[in-house]
C-alpha cells in the first residue's frame, strides 16, 4: 500500500476528527487488536487528540503528536504502523514466512501459501485458526521482529489444505515509504 | 479509584525498546537485506558489540542458513551482494554528479535598465530553495522567488542585478546557502530580451 508514497505530494490534508469519531475509532481499535485499554492509553492517551491525515487512494493515517500510529484503507481494518508493532508485538496475531521469502516481502510482493506452510514458515495451530481478512503481523524465520503487516486472503486452515496462491497480502513492510515516515 | 481496583486491573504492557540500525534504519537482524551491509556491520560492531556477535558470529551465520538448501543460500548471498554493489554504484554516481554540477548565475535584462538574476543548480547541493530565496530577498531588500525554467529545472530569480553579491554569498556559505564548493559557481552573462508582445 505504501510502495510509492511521498508526503509532499500524496497528503491531502490533516484534520483532527470529532471526539465522537475519535471514541468510535478507539473502540474499534480495542476490538480489532489484541490490546488492553491500559496499553492503548499509554500509546494514545485519552487526552491527546488524534490527527487524521488524508492521503491519496482513500488511505487515512492517524497520528498522535505527529507520530503516525495506525492507518486504514477506506473503512477497512485498522493496521498499526510497523514501528508501533515492533514496540508491542502482541497486538496482532503472527504468521511466519521462511527465509527465502524475506527478500520478496521486502520488495512488496504478496506472500504465497508455500512460504507459510513450509518448514521455515509458521501458521497458528488449528485451535487459533485465523479467518480470511484478518490483519496479521508477518514474522520471518529466525528473526525476532516483525518484517511486515498483512491481511490474510485465506483462512489459515485453507492455507494448509490448498497450499496454492496468495495467502497474505502485504500492507506495509520494513523499508517502504511508510517506514521512512517517522513524523508527520 | 480505590487501590483494589488497581491491583485487579491488568497492568499496561510495556513497549519493547527496539534498536534500529543507524545506517539503514532496519532492526539490525534485517541489515543483510538492505543495501549497505558492510557499513551496517561496521556500525554495529562499534556501537553494540554484543549484538554484533549475536548476529554475525560463526554459529549465528550457520544457524541462519536454516531450512534453505545450499544452492538457494548461495544464490541469495550472490543476489544480496549484487544489490549492495548496485546501491553503492548509484550513491557514487550521485555524488560525482553533485561534484561536477555547476551553479550558474545569470544576469538577464528585463526592461532597458532593469535586470534580474537567475541562479540555477542549487538543488544538487541539497539547499532548500524556498528558504534560500527568502534569505536572498531579505538580504537585498528585493523580491526573490523559486520558479521552473524552460528545461524544467528549479531556479531562484532575484530582482535586480545582484550577481556579484550572490557570488560572494555563495562562496561565503551564509545561512541556507551552506555547503557549496567555491569552484562550482559560474557567472554567465545573458542578454535575453524578453520582448513584450
Amino acid at each position: 500500500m505504501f510502495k510509492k508514497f511521498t508526503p509532499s505530494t500524496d497528503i491531502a490534508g490533516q484534520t483532527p476528527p470529532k471526539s465522537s469519531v475519535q471514541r468510535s475509532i478507539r473502540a474499534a481499535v480495542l476490538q480489532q487488536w489484541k490490546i488492553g485499554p491500559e496499553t492503548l492509553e499509554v500509546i494514545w492517551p485519552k487526552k491527546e487528540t488524534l490527527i487524521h491525515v488524508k492521503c491519496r487512494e482513500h488511505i487515512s493515517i492517524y497520528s498522535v503528536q505527529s507520530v503516525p500510529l495506525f492507518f486504514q484503507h477506506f473503512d477497512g481494518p485498522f493496521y498499526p504502523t510497523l514501528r508501533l508493532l515492533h514496540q508491542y508485538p502482541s497486538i496482532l496475531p503472527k504468521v511466519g514466512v521462511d527465509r527465502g521469502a524475506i527478500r520478496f516481502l521486502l520488495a512488496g510482493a504478496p506472500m504465497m501459501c508455500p512460504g507459510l506452510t513450509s518448514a521455515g514458515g509458521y501458521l497458528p495451530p488449528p485451535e487459533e485458526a485465523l479467518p480470511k481478512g484478518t490483519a496479521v503481523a508477518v514474522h520471518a524465520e529466525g528473526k525476532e521482529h516483525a518484517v511486515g503487516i498483512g491481511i490474510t486472503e485465506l483462512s489459515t486452515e485453507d492455507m494448509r489444505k490448498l497450499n496454492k496462491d496468495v495467502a497474505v497480502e502485504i500492507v506495509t513492510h520494513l523499508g517502504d515509504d511508510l517506514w521512512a515516515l517517522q513524523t508527520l | 479509584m480505590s487501590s483494589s481496583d488497581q491491583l485487579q486491573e491488568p497492568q499496561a504492557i510495556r513497549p519493547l525498546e527496539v534498536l534500529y540500525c543507524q545506517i539503514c534504519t532496519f532492526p539490525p537482524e534485517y541489515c543483510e537485506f538492505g543495501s549497505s551491509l558492510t557499513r551496517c556491520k561496521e556500525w554495529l560492531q562499534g556501537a553494540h558489540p554484543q549484538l554484533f556477535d549475536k548476529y554475525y558470529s560463526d554459529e549465528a551465520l550457520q544457524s541462519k542458513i536454516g531450512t534453505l538448501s545450499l544452492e538457494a543460500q548461495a544464490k541469495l548471498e550472490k543476489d544480496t551482494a549484487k544489490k549492495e554493489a548496485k546501491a553503492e554504484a548509484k550513491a557514487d554516481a550521485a555524488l560525482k554528479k553533485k561534484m561536477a554540477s555547476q551553479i550558474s548565475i545569470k544576469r538577464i535584462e528585463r526592461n532597458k535598465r532593469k535586470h534580474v538574476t537567475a541562479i540555477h543548480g542549487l538543488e544538487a547541493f541539497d539547499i532548500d530553495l524556498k528558504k534560500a530565496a527568502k534569505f536572498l530577498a531579505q538580504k537585498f531588500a528585493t523580491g526573490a522567488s523559486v520558479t521552473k525554467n524552460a528545461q524544467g529545472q528549479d531556479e531562484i530569480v532575484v530582482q535586480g542585478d545582484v550577481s556579484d553579491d550572490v557570488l560572494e554569498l555563495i562562496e561565503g556559505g551564509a545561512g541556507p546557502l551552506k555547503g557549496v564548493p567555491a569552484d562550482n559557481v559560474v557567472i554567465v552573462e545573458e542578454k535575453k530580451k524578453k520582448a513584450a508582445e
Side-chain angles (χ1 to χ4, degrees):
Chain A
M1 215 187 271
F2 291 96
K3 275 193 204 163
K4 282 234 154 170
F5 181 79
T6 35
S8 46
T9 54
D10 293 334
I11 292 188
Q14 297 198 19
T15 68
K18 295 197 293 190
S19 44
S20 58
V21 174
Q22 289 200 34
R23 271 178 278 131
S24 61
I25 295 178
R26 192 183 285 270
V29 164
L30 280 176
Q31 194 208 18
Q32 289 174 17
W33 301 351
K34 293 202 304 226
I35 193 173
E38 316 75 37
T39 324
L40 186 61
E41 184 66 29
V42 172
I43 305 174
W44 168 21
K46 280 214 179 89
K47 299 249 164 152
E48 299 283 343
T49 35
L50 201 60
I51 303 201
H52 174 196
V53 182
K54 287 193 211 185
C55 311
R56 68 176 166 92
E57 286 185 31
H58 294 272
I59 297 180
S60 310
I61 304 182
Y62 295 97
S63 60
V64 167
Q65 306 268 22
S66 37
V67 171
L69 289 184
F70 49 94
F71 58 96
Q72 71 176 155
H73 182 221
F74 269 107
D75 282 318
F78 286 101
Y79 303 99
T81 42
L82 199 48
R83 289 180 196 270
L84 187 67
L85 182 66
H86 280 167
Q87 290 182 311
Y88 297 93
S90 50
I91 55 183
L92 288 181
K94 300 193 216 298
V95 296
V97 294
D98 59 22
R99 193 168 154 72
I102 303 179
R103 41 186 290 252
F104 299 108
L105 197 159
L106 288 179
M111 295 287 101
M112 303 289 165
C113 290
L116 291 135
T117 52
S118 65
Y122 168 77
L123 280 176
E127 314 84 63
E128 294 171 22
L130 302 169
K132 168 177 166 171
T134 350
V136 288
V138 183
H139 283 249
E141 174 194 344
K143 309 288 186 193
E144 72 179 275
H145 295 115
V147 64
I149 300 180
I151 181 164
T152 48
E153 294 289 318
L154 297 173
S155 75
T156 47
E157 289 311 297
D158 286 338
M159 288 181 211
R160 270 191 238 264
K161 271 187 273 176
L162 297 172
N163 212 16
K164 266 176 85 92
D165 292 335
V166 184
V168 180
E169 267 298 334
I170 298 292
V171 168
T172 183
H173 59 83
L174 267 187
D176 64 357
D177 290 329
L178 182 61
W179 174 261
L181 203 63
Q182 305 216 24
T183 52
L184 215 56
Chain B
M1 274 203 290
S2 61
S3 53
S4 62
D5 267 54
Q6 288 245 319
L7 286 171
Q8 277 175 351
E9 270 179 23
Q11 292 295 328
I13 312 174
R14 305 185 125 246
L16 286 185
E17 275 292 326
V18 191
L19 175 69
Y20 293 121
C21 173
Q22 291 285 56
I23 312 280
C24 62
T25 71
F26 289 179
E29 51 194 359
Y30 289 106
C31 285
E32 52 180 329
F33 296 105
S35 41
S36 48
L37 180 57
T38 36
R39 276 186 293 153
C40 291
K41 276 164 93 163
E42 278 174 31
W43 173 81
L44 194 64
Q45 198 168 23
H48 300 270
Q50 332 86 303
L51 279 181
F52 181 81
D53 281 331
K54 185 169 144 202
Y55 294 129
Y56 297 113
S57 67
D58 287 326
E59 324 88 52
L61 287 175
Q62 199 53 18
S63 60
K64 261 204 293 197
I65 297 188
T67 53
L68 281 185
S69 65
L70 219 56
E71 314 93 58
Q73 179 69 10
K75 185 164 174 295
L76 240 191
E77 282 180 18
K78 225 178 26 155
D79 283 336
T80 45
K82 236 195 323 181
K83 203 169 76 148
E84 200 182 312
K86 242 204 303 191
E88 299 256 342
K90 226 178 17 165
D92 275 336
L95 195 63
K96 249 206 272 184
K97 213 174 80 148
K98 207 171 153 173
M99 286 294 109
S101 62
Q102 292 183 325
I103 297 191
S104 48
I105 304 182
K106 295 190 201 158
R107 192 182 69 152
I108 305 173
E109 235 179 68
R110 199 180 66 164
N111 253 352
K112 304 188 195 184
R113 277 180 21 242
K114 296 202 200 231
H115 297 85
V116 284
T117 314
I119 309 176
H120 8 308
L122 285 172
E123 284 180 327
F125 295 95
D126 289 334
I127 295 184
D128 184 347
L129 288 174
K130 269 175 61 173
K131 286 207 186 115
K134 215 168 162 137
F135 171 77
L136 287 173
Q138 251 192 347
K139 263 278 161 168
F140 302 121
T142 60
S145 60
V146 179
T147 46
K148 267 200 159 74
N149 70 358
Q151 286 93 20
Q153 289 176 331
D154 282 338
E155 59 177 8
I156 298 185
V157 176
V158 183
Q159 291 169 14
D161 182 7
V162 294
S163 45
D164 303 313
D165 300 308
V166 172
L167 181 64
E168 277 179 29
L169 278 182
I170 291 185
E171 289 185 345
L177 295 171
K178 280 196 289 214
V180 184
D183 359 299
N184 288 39
V185 190
V186 154
I187 294 196
V188 169
E189 297 269 323
E190 249 185 52
K191 292 253 159 148
K192 241 205 282 214
K193 282 246 160 131
K194 291 209 171 138
E197 233 72 74

